[in-house]
Amino acid sequence: SMGFAGFVLVGTAFYRSVEGCTCSYGATAVRGCDPHEYFTCVATGGEVKTWTDSLYMSIVSLTTVGFGDFSMMSWWGRMFGLPWLICGVACAASFVTSTWQYLSETEKVAGAESTVREYIADLDYDGDGHLSKAEHHVLMLVRSGLVSKELLSALDESFASLDKAGEGRVAFE
């Protein structure tokens, strides 16, 4: 995420400072535009990019949305844009992937937390108000989402079928 933010900030600063006002060149050149000084450029019809425009252009470009309302207008802007876009789009993809993984993990943990609250009394098998080492391990397995309610119930039923005397233990024979 820091990489993506860094690319956005660098692009914003670059395009505001280098293309704050540009006359472009080639087929997109603004006729009669004088690029030598900012105010002259603006007065003669140059393309102006404010800080907000530059930020917007950076975000829209790096996320590959590209509405087309802003583009690289100068030769330097286009030369900077080639590697900046390639690397920046990769950072944007990494940012989206990281965000998706974080949100998925948060949802998984939230679901596990509600399961823990539902079964905390059931996990205290000896009913002493404290979790033993084994009970703690079961709690951690539930919290991580590795053990479901159904699996715990199946394990309890399996143990109960072996513990004929109901003593909470099974002898090895």
Side-chain angles (χ1 to χ4, degrees):
S1 67
M2 293 302 291
F4 176 65
F7 272 90
V8 168
L9 291 175
V10 167
T12 300
F14 178 86
Y15 285 106
R16 175 60 182 117
S17 60
V18 173
E19 292 193 352
C21 184
T22 183
C23 297
S24 192
Y25 72 99
T28 60
V30 178
R31 290 183 182 244
C33 181
D34 182 359
H36 294 96
E37 194 174 279
Y38 178 80
F39 293 110
T40 307
C41 179
V42 172
T44 57
E47 297 284 333
V48 176
K49 279 191 186 87
T50 64
W51 282 104
T52 304
D53 295 338
S54 297
L55 174 65
Y56 170 79
M57 186 187 108
S58 293
I59 292 170
V60 168
S61 297
L62 293 176
T63 57
T64 69
V65 174
F67 294 117
D69 43 356
F70 291 102
S71 62
M72 295 98 179
M73 300 294 294
S74 68
W75 185 86
W76 284 111
R78 292 173 188 174
M79 291 304 104
F80 171 80
L82 292 172
W84 175 74
L85 280 169
I86 292 168
C87 296
V89 167
C91 281
S94 176
F95 172 70
V96 169
T97 301
S98 298
T99 302
W100 182 262
Q101 287 173 341
Y102 173 77
L103 293 174
S104 296
E105 189 63 32
T106 301
E107 184 177 316
K108 185 177 180 181
V109 168
E113 288 292 333
S114 65
T115 303
V116 169
R117 276 187 237 104
E118 291 173 17
Y119 294 100
I120 193 76
D122 293 337
L123 294 175
D124 182 14
Y125 290 112
D126 57 10
D128 67 353
H130 298 87
L131 294 180
S132 67
K133 183 177 181 179
E135 293 164 341
H136 171 266
H137 290 357
V138 171
L139 173 66
M140 292 297 105
L141 289 169
V142 170
R143 278 184 111 166
S144 68
L146 294 172
V147 175
S148 67
K149 170 184 171 182
E150 293 78 21
L151 180 57
L152 281 178
S153 295
L155 290 171
D156 285 343
E157 288 174 21
S158 175
F159 185 84
S161 71
L162 297 172
D163 182 19
K164 303 288 186 199
E167 297 175 343
R169 60 184 182 183
V170 177
F172 292 103
E173 296 179 64

